[in-house]
Amino acid sequence: MPRELLEKTGVTVRDAVPGDAVAGVEPRRVALPETVGEVAAVLRACAAHDLAVTPVGGGTKLHWGAPPERCDVLLDLCCLNEIVEHAAGDLVVRAQAGVTMGALAETLRLQGQELALDAPPDATVGGTLATAACGPRAFRYGAPRDLLIGVTVVLADGTVARSGGKVVKNVAGYDLGKLFTGSYGTLGVIAEATFRLHPLPADRRWLVAELPPAHVREVAEALAASQAEPSAVEIDRPDASAPVALAALVEGTAAEPRAHALRETAGGGEVSERPPPWWGLLPGAETLVEARFVPTALDGVLEAAREHGFRLRGSAVSGRLHLSPVGEVSAARVADAVAGFRERTHAAVLLASPYEGVDRWGRTGALPLMRRVKTRFDPGRRMSPGRFVGGI
Protein backbone atom coordinates (compact mmCIF):
# COMPACT_ATOMS: atom_id res chain seq x y z
CA MET A 1 0.00 0.00 0.00
CA PRO A 2 1.85 3.10 -1.19
CA ARG A 3 1.76 6.05 1.21
CA GLU A 4 0.74 8.24 -1.72
CA LEU A 5 -2.77 6.77 -1.66
CA LEU A 6 -3.36 8.31 1.75
CA GLU A 7 -1.19 11.40 1.31
CA LYS A 8 -3.41 12.49 -1.59
CA THR A 9 -6.09 13.19 1.02
CA GLY A 10 -3.87 15.90 2.52
CA VAL A 11 -3.61 13.99 5.82
CA THR A 12 -0.29 13.43 7.57
CA VAL A 13 0.82 9.81 7.12
CA ARG A 14 3.76 7.89 8.60
CA ASP A 15 5.00 4.32 8.51
CA ALA A 16 3.89 2.15 11.39
CA VAL A 17 6.26 1.01 14.13
CA PRO A 18 5.92 -1.96 16.54
CA GLY A 19 4.39 0.31 19.20
CA ASP A 20 1.39 0.86 16.90
CA ALA A 21 0.35 -2.79 17.06
CA VAL A 22 -3.33 -3.51 17.69
CA ALA A 23 -3.61 -6.55 19.97
CA GLY A 24 -0.36 -7.79 18.44
CA VAL A 25 -1.20 -6.95 14.80
CA GLU A 26 1.03 -4.24 13.34
CA PRO A 27 -0.57 -1.86 10.81
CA ARG A 28 1.21 -0.79 7.64
CA ARG A 29 0.54 2.95 7.82
CA VAL A 30 -0.61 5.46 10.45
CA ALA A 31 -2.83 8.38 9.38
CA LEU A 32 -3.17 11.45 11.61
CA PRO A 33 -6.21 13.50 10.57
CA GLU A 34 -6.78 16.90 12.16
CA THR A 35 -10.46 17.46 11.31
CA VAL A 36 -13.64 15.43 10.91
CA GLY A 37 -13.42 16.14 7.18
CA GLU A 38 -9.94 14.61 7.04
CA VAL A 39 -11.19 11.50 8.87
CA ALA A 40 -13.86 11.18 6.18
CA ALA A 41 -11.28 11.65 3.42
CA VAL A 42 -9.08 8.87 4.82
CA LEU A 43 -12.00 6.46 5.08
CA ARG A 44 -13.10 7.26 1.52
CA ALA A 45 -9.58 6.49 0.30
CA CYS A 46 -9.49 3.26 2.30
CA ALA A 47 -12.89 2.23 0.94
CA ALA A 48 -11.73 2.83 -2.63
CA HIS A 49 -8.72 0.51 -2.13
CA ASP A 50 -10.27 -2.00 0.32
CA LEU A 51 -7.96 -1.08 3.18
CA ALA A 52 -8.83 -2.15 6.73
CA VAL A 53 -8.84 0.62 9.33
CA THR A 54 -8.55 0.60 13.12
CA PRO A 55 -9.16 3.87 15.00
CA VAL A 56 -7.03 4.68 18.06
CA GLY A 57 -7.17 7.41 20.68
CA GLY A 58 -4.71 7.34 23.56
CA GLY A 59 -3.81 3.71 22.89
CA THR A 60 -4.36 2.76 26.54
CA LYS A 61 -6.77 -0.05 25.63
CA LEU A 62 -5.54 -0.97 22.17
CA HIS A 63 -4.70 -4.44 23.51
CA TRP A 64 -8.34 -5.01 24.51
CA GLY A 65 -10.53 -7.10 22.24
CA ALA A 66 -9.50 -9.71 19.72
CA PRO A 67 -6.67 -9.07 17.24
CA PRO A 68 -8.03 -7.64 13.98
CA GLU A 69 -8.11 -9.94 10.96
CA ARG A 70 -6.13 -7.27 9.11
CA CYS A 71 -5.00 -3.73 9.82
CA ASP A 72 -3.74 -1.71 6.89
CA VAL A 73 -4.23 1.74 8.40
CA LEU A 74 -4.17 2.85 12.03
CA LEU A 75 -6.30 5.99 12.25
CA ASP A 76 -4.71 8.01 15.06
CA LEU A 77 -7.14 10.62 16.36
CA CYS A 78 -4.66 12.38 18.66
CA CYS A 79 -4.88 15.58 16.60
CA LEU A 80 -8.67 15.81 16.98
CA ASN A 81 -8.13 17.30 20.42
CA GLU A 82 -10.39 20.33 20.65
CA ILE A 83 -13.20 20.98 23.09
CA VAL A 84 -15.59 22.33 20.50
CA GLU A 85 -18.23 23.77 22.81
CA HIS A 86 -18.86 24.01 26.54
CA ALA A 87 -22.35 25.32 27.31
CA ALA A 88 -21.77 25.65 31.04
CA GLY A 89 -25.25 27.02 31.69
CA ASP A 90 -26.81 23.97 30.06
CA LEU A 91 -24.34 21.48 31.63
CA VAL A 92 -23.31 20.24 28.18
CA VAL A 93 -19.92 19.79 26.52
CA ARG A 94 -18.97 18.76 22.98
CA ALA A 95 -15.45 17.44 22.46
CA GLN A 96 -13.49 15.80 19.68
CA ALA A 97 -12.55 12.16 20.04
CA GLY A 98 -8.85 12.76 20.67
CA VAL A 99 -9.37 15.00 23.71
CA THR A 100 -7.89 13.28 26.76
CA MET A 101 -10.15 12.78 29.74
CA GLY A 102 -7.61 14.61 31.90
CA ALA A 103 -7.66 17.70 29.68
CA LEU A 104 -11.44 17.63 29.54
CA ALA A 105 -11.69 17.29 33.33
CA GLU A 106 -9.41 20.27 33.89
CA THR A 107 -11.38 22.49 31.49
CA LEU A 108 -14.66 21.55 33.15
CA ARG A 109 -13.20 21.95 36.66
CA LEU A 110 -12.50 25.61 35.99
CA GLN A 111 -16.25 26.06 35.53
CA GLY A 112 -17.14 23.98 38.57
CA GLN A 113 -18.37 21.04 36.50
CA GLU A 114 -17.37 17.47 35.66
CA LEU A 115 -18.06 14.53 33.38
CA ALA A 116 -18.71 11.79 35.92
CA LEU A 117 -16.99 8.88 34.16
CA ASP A 118 -13.85 8.40 36.31
CA ALA A 119 -11.80 7.57 33.22
CA PRO A 120 -7.97 7.53 33.36
CA PRO A 121 -6.57 10.97 32.47
CA ASP A 122 -4.58 9.64 29.50
CA ALA A 123 -7.59 7.89 27.96
CA THR A 124 -9.43 9.79 25.24
CA VAL A 125 -13.08 10.62 24.71
CA GLY A 126 -13.29 8.33 21.69
CA GLY A 127 -11.47 5.44 23.32
CA THR A 128 -13.58 5.68 26.48
CA LEU A 129 -16.73 5.40 24.37
CA ALA A 130 -15.40 2.71 22.02
CA THR A 131 -14.58 0.40 24.92
CA ALA A 132 -17.53 1.49 27.13
CA ALA A 133 -15.14 1.61 30.09
CA CYS A 134 -16.90 2.31 33.42
CA GLY A 135 -15.49 3.85 36.59
CA PRO A 136 -16.62 3.54 40.20
CA ARG A 137 -19.34 6.18 40.01
CA ALA A 138 -21.26 4.35 37.30
CA PHE A 139 -23.37 3.16 40.25
CA ARG A 140 -24.83 6.66 40.59
CA TYR A 141 -24.27 8.38 37.26
CA GLY A 142 -24.38 5.51 34.77
CA ALA A 143 -22.07 4.15 32.09
CA PRO A 144 -20.61 6.24 29.22
CA ARG A 145 -23.65 5.63 27.03
CA ASP A 146 -25.88 7.07 29.77
CA LEU A 147 -24.02 10.41 29.84
CA LEU A 148 -23.72 10.66 26.04
CA ILE A 149 -26.39 12.87 24.45
CA GLY A 150 -24.98 13.32 20.96
CA VAL A 151 -22.32 11.88 18.68
CA THR A 152 -20.66 12.56 15.33
CA VAL A 153 -19.35 9.47 13.55
CA VAL A 154 -17.67 8.76 10.25
CA LEU A 155 -18.86 5.58 8.57
CA ALA A 156 -16.73 3.12 6.63
CA ASP A 157 -17.48 4.81 3.27
CA GLY A 158 -16.56 8.27 4.59
CA THR A 159 -20.11 9.43 5.30
CA VAL A 160 -20.34 11.82 8.27
CA ALA A 161 -23.42 11.15 10.40
CA ARG A 162 -24.72 12.80 13.55
CA SER A 163 -27.19 11.70 16.18
CA GLY A 164 -28.63 13.31 19.30
CA GLY A 165 -27.52 16.80 20.32
CA LYS A 166 -26.60 19.27 17.57
CA VAL A 167 -28.17 17.04 14.92
CA VAL A 168 -27.31 17.90 11.30
CA LYS A 169 -27.63 14.51 9.62
CA ASN A 170 -29.03 11.30 11.05
CA VAL A 171 -28.88 7.66 10.03
CA ALA A 172 -32.60 6.98 10.17
CA GLY A 173 -33.78 4.51 12.79
CA TYR A 174 -30.51 4.22 14.73
CA ASP A 175 -29.31 5.69 18.01
CA LEU A 176 -25.72 6.08 16.91
CA GLY A 177 -24.42 6.94 20.37
CA LYS A 178 -25.64 3.71 21.90
CA LEU A 179 -24.61 1.62 18.89
CA PHE A 180 -21.08 2.95 18.72
CA THR A 181 -20.42 2.90 22.48
CA GLY A 182 -18.65 -0.36 23.20
CA SER A 183 -18.29 -1.31 19.52
CA TYR A 184 -14.46 -1.34 19.53
CA GLY A 185 -14.27 0.67 16.30
CA THR A 186 -16.05 -2.01 14.26
CA LEU A 187 -18.90 0.19 12.96
CA GLY A 188 -17.04 3.39 12.13
CA VAL A 189 -15.07 6.18 13.77
CA ILE A 190 -16.33 8.26 16.69
CA ALA A 191 -15.21 11.80 15.80
CA GLU A 192 -17.04 14.00 18.32
CA ALA A 193 -19.20 13.43 21.37
CA THR A 194 -21.61 15.58 23.36
CA PHE A 195 -22.09 14.80 27.07
CA ARG A 196 -24.30 15.98 29.88
CA LEU A 197 -22.36 17.23 32.86
CA HIS A 198 -22.79 17.53 36.62
CA PRO A 199 -21.70 20.23 39.05
CA LEU A 200 -18.56 19.40 40.99
CA PRO A 201 -19.54 18.10 44.43
CA ALA A 202 -19.03 20.51 47.31
CA ASP A 203 -17.20 17.81 49.28
CA ARG A 204 -16.17 14.15 49.15
CA ARG A 205 -15.46 11.49 51.75
CA TRP A 206 -14.50 7.84 51.48
CA LEU A 207 -15.29 5.11 53.96
CA VAL A 208 -12.70 2.30 53.80
CA ALA A 209 -13.11 -0.97 55.69
CA GLU A 210 -11.70 -4.51 55.64
CA LEU A 211 -14.19 -7.35 55.59
CA PRO A 212 -14.11 -11.14 55.48
CA PRO A 213 -15.43 -12.35 52.08
CA ALA A 214 -18.53 -13.89 53.68
CA HIS A 215 -19.74 -10.45 54.85
CA VAL A 216 -18.99 -8.38 51.74
CA ARG A 217 -22.29 -8.80 49.91
CA GLU A 218 -24.41 -8.06 52.98
CA VAL A 219 -22.46 -4.92 53.86
CA ALA A 220 -22.32 -3.67 50.26
CA GLU A 221 -26.07 -4.07 49.85
CA ALA A 222 -26.70 -2.22 53.10
CA LEU A 223 -24.45 0.66 52.03
CA ALA A 224 -26.09 0.90 48.60
CA ALA A 225 -29.53 1.16 50.22
CA SER A 226 -28.41 3.64 52.88
CA GLN A 227 -30.00 7.08 53.13
CA ALA A 228 -26.44 8.44 53.03
CA GLU A 229 -26.66 7.77 49.24
CA PRO A 230 -23.12 6.75 48.29
CA SER A 231 -22.01 7.49 44.73
CA ALA A 232 -19.94 4.29 44.57
CA VAL A 233 -19.29 1.13 46.57
CA GLU A 234 -16.10 -0.60 45.39
CA ILE A 235 -14.19 -3.67 46.56
CA ASP A 236 -10.61 -4.81 46.16
CA ARG A 237 -8.95 -8.15 46.93
CA PRO A 238 -5.29 -8.31 45.81
CA ASP A 239 -5.00 -12.08 46.19
CA ALA A 240 -7.15 -15.08 47.06
CA SER A 241 -6.01 -15.27 50.69
CA ALA A 242 -6.48 -11.58 51.54
CA PRO A 243 -9.52 -10.01 53.18
CA VAL A 244 -11.66 -7.78 51.01
CA ALA A 245 -11.19 -4.01 51.17
CA LEU A 246 -14.45 -2.13 50.72
CA ALA A 247 -14.63 1.58 49.95
CA ALA A 248 -17.71 3.76 49.63
CA LEU A 249 -17.74 7.31 48.27
CA VAL A 250 -20.10 10.03 49.55
CA GLU A 251 -20.34 13.30 47.63
CA GLY A 252 -22.01 16.66 48.13
CA THR A 253 -23.30 18.44 51.18
CA ALA A 254 -22.73 17.00 54.67
CA ALA A 255 -20.31 14.42 53.21
CA GLU A 256 -18.52 13.94 56.53
CA PRO A 257 -21.55 12.99 58.66
CA ARG A 258 -22.98 10.89 55.83
CA ALA A 259 -19.71 8.96 55.57
CA HIS A 260 -19.80 8.34 59.32
CA ALA A 261 -23.35 7.06 58.93
CA LEU A 262 -22.04 4.58 56.38
CA ARG A 263 -19.34 3.59 58.86
CA GLU A 264 -22.02 2.69 61.38
CA THR A 265 -23.85 0.66 58.74
CA ALA A 266 -20.64 -1.18 57.81
CA GLY A 267 -19.78 -1.86 61.44
CA GLY A 268 -16.42 -0.07 61.29
CA GLY A 269 -13.80 1.37 59.00
CA GLU A 270 -12.02 4.70 58.49
CA VAL A 271 -13.41 7.90 56.98
CA SER A 272 -10.95 9.78 54.77
CA GLU A 273 -10.80 12.82 52.50
CA ARG A 274 -8.79 10.75 49.99
CA PRO A 275 -9.61 7.53 48.16
CA PRO A 276 -7.66 4.33 48.79
CA PRO A 277 -4.68 3.95 46.41
CA TRP A 278 -6.44 1.27 44.35
CA TRP A 279 -9.59 3.32 43.73
CA GLY A 280 -10.61 3.41 40.06
CA LEU A 281 -7.62 1.38 38.85
CA LEU A 282 -7.76 -1.94 37.00
CA PRO A 283 -6.27 -4.93 38.85
CA GLY A 284 -4.11 -5.98 35.89
CA ALA A 285 -3.28 -5.18 32.29
CA GLU A 286 -1.94 -8.15 30.32
CA THR A 287 -4.78 -10.54 31.22
CA LEU A 288 -8.04 -8.95 32.31
CA VAL A 289 -11.56 -10.32 32.70
CA GLU A 290 -14.70 -8.26 33.17
CA ALA A 291 -17.49 -10.09 35.01
CA ARG A 292 -21.05 -8.77 35.00
CA PHE A 293 -23.61 -10.20 37.38
CA VAL A 294 -26.63 -9.42 39.50
CA PRO A 295 -25.34 -8.07 42.83
CA THR A 296 -26.87 -10.99 44.73
CA ALA A 297 -24.42 -13.29 42.89
CA LEU A 298 -21.39 -11.52 44.40
CA ASP A 299 -20.60 -14.39 46.79
CA GLY A 300 -20.21 -16.78 43.87
CA VAL A 301 -17.89 -14.41 42.02
CA LEU A 302 -15.69 -13.99 45.09
CA GLU A 303 -15.53 -17.76 45.50
CA ALA A 304 -14.70 -18.32 41.82
CA ALA A 305 -11.90 -15.74 42.02
CA ARG A 306 -10.50 -17.52 45.07
CA GLU A 307 -10.69 -20.93 43.40
CA HIS A 308 -8.81 -19.76 40.30
CA GLY A 309 -6.29 -17.50 42.05
CA PHE A 310 -7.48 -14.20 40.55
CA ARG A 311 -7.31 -10.75 42.15
CA LEU A 312 -10.42 -8.63 41.71
CA ARG A 313 -11.58 -5.05 41.88
CA GLY A 314 -14.70 -3.13 40.98
CA SER A 315 -18.28 -2.39 41.92
CA ALA A 316 -19.97 -4.73 44.36
CA VAL A 317 -23.32 -3.00 43.83
CA SER A 318 -23.35 -2.35 40.07
CA GLY A 319 -22.48 -5.98 39.37
CA ARG A 320 -19.27 -5.29 37.46
CA LEU A 321 -15.86 -6.58 38.58
CA HIS A 322 -12.48 -6.79 36.87
CA LEU A 323 -10.32 -9.82 37.57
CA SER A 324 -6.69 -10.58 36.81
CA PRO A 325 -4.53 -13.62 37.62
CA VAL A 326 -1.95 -13.45 40.39
CA GLY A 327 1.46 -14.44 39.01
CA GLU A 328 2.24 -16.15 35.71
CA VAL A 329 -0.52 -18.22 34.14
CA SER A 330 -0.98 -20.51 31.14
CA ALA A 331 -3.60 -20.25 28.42
CA ALA A 332 -5.29 -23.36 29.84
CA ARG A 333 -5.57 -21.79 33.27
CA VAL A 334 -7.02 -18.57 31.85
CA ALA A 335 -9.56 -20.53 29.81
CA ASP A 336 -10.53 -22.59 32.86
CA ALA A 337 -10.93 -19.49 35.01
CA VAL A 338 -13.04 -17.65 32.43
CA ALA A 339 -15.29 -20.70 32.11
CA GLY A 340 -15.64 -20.75 35.90
CA PHE A 341 -16.58 -17.07 36.01
CA ARG A 342 -19.20 -17.61 33.29
CA GLU A 343 -20.85 -20.29 35.40
CA ARG A 344 -21.30 -17.80 38.26
CA THR A 345 -22.14 -14.61 36.33
CA HIS A 346 -24.40 -13.15 33.67
CA ALA A 347 -21.35 -12.59 31.44
CA ALA A 348 -17.58 -12.76 31.66
CA VAL A 349 -15.57 -11.09 28.91
CA LEU A 350 -11.84 -11.63 28.45
CA LEU A 351 -10.96 -8.01 27.70
CA ALA A 352 -7.22 -8.54 27.33
CA SER A 353 -5.08 -11.63 26.96
CA PRO A 354 -1.80 -12.57 25.28
CA TYR A 355 -3.24 -16.00 24.44
CA GLU A 356 -5.04 -17.04 21.27
CA GLY A 357 -7.66 -19.76 21.29
CA VAL A 358 -9.37 -18.61 24.50
CA ASP A 359 -13.04 -17.68 24.03
CA ARG A 360 -13.05 -13.97 24.77
CA TRP A 361 -16.75 -13.16 24.64
CA GLY A 362 -18.77 -16.24 25.57
CA ARG A 363 -22.32 -16.81 24.41
CA THR A 364 -24.09 -13.72 23.05
CA GLY A 365 -27.81 -14.04 22.40
CA ALA A 366 -27.96 -10.84 20.34
CA LEU A 367 -25.20 -11.93 17.94
CA PRO A 368 -27.46 -12.32 14.85
CA LEU A 369 -28.75 -8.77 15.34
CA MET A 370 -25.23 -7.46 15.91
CA ARG A 371 -24.09 -9.06 12.67
CA ARG A 372 -26.92 -7.40 10.77
CA VAL A 373 -25.93 -4.03 12.23
CA LYS A 374 -22.31 -4.65 11.21
CA THR A 375 -23.43 -5.45 7.68
CA ARG A 376 -25.54 -2.29 7.59
CA PHE A 377 -22.73 0.01 8.69
CA ASP A 378 -19.66 -1.78 7.32
CA PRO A 379 -20.64 -4.21 4.54
CA GLY A 380 -17.04 -4.38 3.30
CA ARG A 381 -15.71 -5.43 6.74
CA ARG A 382 -13.03 -2.74 6.72
CA MET A 383 -13.56 -1.29 10.21
CA SER A 384 -11.49 -3.21 12.79
CA PRO A 385 -12.58 -6.55 11.30
CA GLY A 386 -12.69 -9.39 13.83
CA ARG A 387 -12.12 -7.22 16.91
CA PHE A 388 -15.55 -7.65 18.44
CA VAL A 389 -17.84 -10.46 19.56
CA GLY A 390 -18.48 -13.24 17.05
CA GLY A 391 -15.63 -12.04 14.84
CA ILE A 392 -17.54 -8.87 13.90
Side-chain angles (χ1 to χ4, degrees):
M1 178 189 60
R3 287 178 55 161
E4 291 78 8
L5 292 177
L6 295 176
E7 289 174 339
K8 287 180 180 178
T9 65
V11 176
T12 301
V13 180
R14 64 172 174 82
D15 294 335
V17 297
D20 297 316
V22 182
V25 177
E26 188 173 325
R28 299 165 66 188
R29 303 285 186 263
V30 178
L32 296 101
E34 299 180 16
T35 66
V36 176
E38 288 190 351
V39 174
V42 170
L43 291 190
R44 284 195 297 269
C46 290
H49 299 280
D50 191 30
L51 302 177
V53 181
T54 296
V56 61
T60 59
K61 296 179 178 65
L62 206 53
H63 62 298
W64 285 21
E69 295 168 5
R70 58 191 181 110
C71 183
D72 299 306
V73 178
L74 187 70
L75 190 68
D76 190 338
L77 302 176
C78 65
C79 297
L80 267 73
N81 55 12
E82 293 185 8
I83 297 174
V84 181
E85 179 182 4
H86 179 202
D90 296 327
L91 290 170
V92 170
V93 69
R94 180 159 62 103
Q96 293 183 323
V99 173
T100 65
M101 300 302 286
L104 180 59
E106 178 59 20
T107 296
L108 299 177
R109 184 190 65 80
L110 296 175
Q111 297 293 324
Q113 298 177 351
E114 67 171 353
L115 175 59
L117 286 181
D118 300 322
D122 54 347
T124 60
V125 166
T128 299
L129 291 173
T131 57
C134 291
R137 291 186 296 166
F139 172 61
R140 178 175 181 179
Y141 296 103
R145 60 182 285 166
D146 300 309
L147 296 174
L148 183 69
I149 60 175
V151 69
T152 298
V153 300
V154 185
L155 305 182
D157 62 359
T159 299
V160 178
R162 296 176 173 88
S163 177
K166 310 294 181 182
V167 170
V168 176
K169 179 177 180 179
N170 277 301
V171 176
Y174 292 96
D175 185 332
L176 295 181
K178 287 184 169 57
L179 275 181
F180 275 66
T181 299
S183 65
Y184 283 76
T186 57
L187 299 179
V189 179
I190 298 170
E192 292 182 358
T194 303
F195 296 99
R196 62 184 177 94
L197 306 173
H198 290 84
L200 277 173
D203 200 3
R204 287 189 173 110
R205 291 293 187 276
W206 281 263
L207 166 71
V208 183
E210 273 197 357
L211 301 170
H215 295 167
V216 173
R217 180 175 63 83
E218 177 186 356
V219 173
E221 289 177 349
L223 294 180
S226 168
Q227 292 185 355
E229 297 183 330
S231 296
V233 180
E234 297 280 295
I235 60 174
D236 174 60
R237 188 169 70 181
D239 63 68
S241 62
V244 177
L246 179 146
L249 168 64
V250 177
E251 299 179 294
T253 58
E256 179 85 20
R258 289 162 57 208
H260 280 282
L262 289 183
R263 182 181 183 276
E264 293 301 314
T265 301
E270 298 293 331
V271 173
S272 172
E273 296 182 4
R274 297 184 178 276
W278 50 267
W279 182 267
L281 302 178
L282 295 171
E286 187 175 68
T287 300
L288 186 67
V289 179
E290 182 178 81
R292 304 171 191 172
F293 53 93
V294 293
T296 53
L298 177 61
D299 291 338
V301 181
L302 291 172
E303 178 60 21
R306 186 196 64 78
E307 290 175 358
H308 295 285
F310 272 54
R311 63 174 66 92
L312 59 81
R313 185 176 295 155
S315 177
V317 291
S318 296
R320 188 188 298 262
L321 290 176
H322 290 101
L323 307 104
S324 184
V326 178
E328 295 185 9
V329 293
S330 65
R333 182 181 159 195
V334 170
D336 185 53
V338 172
F341 297 141
R342 286 175 180 152
E343 290 177 358
R344 310 284 187 99
T345 64
H346 170 69
V349 176
L350 184 59
L351 294 177
S353 172
Y355 304 113
E356 293 304 311
V358 181
D359 181 5
R360 291 176 180 267
W361 305 100
R363 184 180 178 278
T364 305
L367 186 56
L369 174 60
M370 296 169 73
R371 284 178 171 152
R372 291 197 295 272
V373 171
K374 171 69 170 178
T375 299
R376 166 66 177 84
F377 282 86
D378 182 24
R381 289 184 53 78
R382 291 187 300 273
M383 297 305 306
S384 303
R387 290 274 282 156
F388 200 29
V389 58
I392 290 175

